[in-house]
Amino acid sequence: MNLKLNRDGLKTIDEHALKSFPRECCGLFFGKFGENVIEVEEVVEADNVLGSPVAFEADAELVFKAIKRAEKSGLELVGIYHSHPKIAAYVSALDSEMMKLWPGVVWLIVSVVEDHILERKAHVLKNDKTEEIEIKTS
Ligand SMILES: [Zn+2]
């Protein structure tokens, strides 16, 4: 299983993480589930309504509208991303709880410091356990 993301999408996420620092940012991936691949076609930035450095909650109305719009163009919600300011891109206890609420989607976590991105990791939930998957950039 891997995550396919184009350079523009990656850039959107990185810039979002940097401009939100030291707060967490979050957003959505729309695209398609393929065989052993999750293909992202659109990255949508969301507002972190918590404005917190250690947690996020996407603006519910924005999420609802984005899903409706994507459905019209035949895309599904395939993933959720958020940043980890000043800490590694590991799945926190809170993250794994939230992953259970959105089964099937990929979670991309971006570790960010003041002026650059440290690492990006993608995870999926499989049999109640998180599993890291490869990120392929095109
Ligand atoms: Zn997290």
Side-chain angles (χ1 to χ4, degrees):
M1 176 76 91
N2 57 66
L3 173 68
K4 236 173 116 182
L5 197 63
N6 66 29
R7 259 171 230 294
D8 284 347
L10 210 58
K11 203 173 149 214
T12 301
I13 299 159
D14 287 356
E15 283 173 357
H16 194 196
L18 285 164
K19 77 183 177 206
S20 304
F21 187 89
R23 288 166 289 114
E24 285 196 11
C25 72
C26 58
L28 310 169
F29 294 150
F30 292 100
K32 284 169 185 158
F33 292 104
E35 210 169 310
N36 273 317
V37 61
I38 296 173
E39 214 162 320
V40 178
E41 292 186 20
E42 197 190 346
V43 176
V44 176
E45 293 181 34
D47 293 326
N48 178 2
V49 294
L50 301 180
S52 161
V54 292
F56 76 93
E57 187 184 310
D59 181 291
E61 195 185 334
L62 185 148
V63 172
F64 180 75
K65 283 183 179 161
I67 291 173
K68 286 280 154 213
R69 204 186 57 228
E71 277 173 354
K72 277 185 194 150
S73 37
L75 301 177
E76 292 181 81
L77 177 70
V78 295
I80 294 169
Y81 73 88
H82 72 286
S83 62
H84 277 182
K86 293 193 231 174
I87 54 166
Y90 72 98
V91 178
S92 70
L94 184 62
D95 289 335
S96 69
E97 282 310 305
M98 288 173 75
M99 284 174 88
K100 288 174 191 160
L101 302 175
W102 298 87
V105 306
V106 64
W107 280 61
L108 181 80
I109 303 175
V110 177
S111 171
V112 60
V113 289
E114 209 145 49
D115 54 1
H116 66 281
I117 303 296
L118 292 178
E119 61 177 355
R120 307 176 193 90
K121 282 186 178 170
H123 307 266
V124 290
L125 198 63
K126 213 173 176 184
N127 305 321
D128 252 13
K129 282 198 171 134
T130 59
E131 186 182 292
E132 191 180 338
I133 63 169
E134 196 186 337
I135 303 167
K136 288 196 171 163
T137 312
S138 54

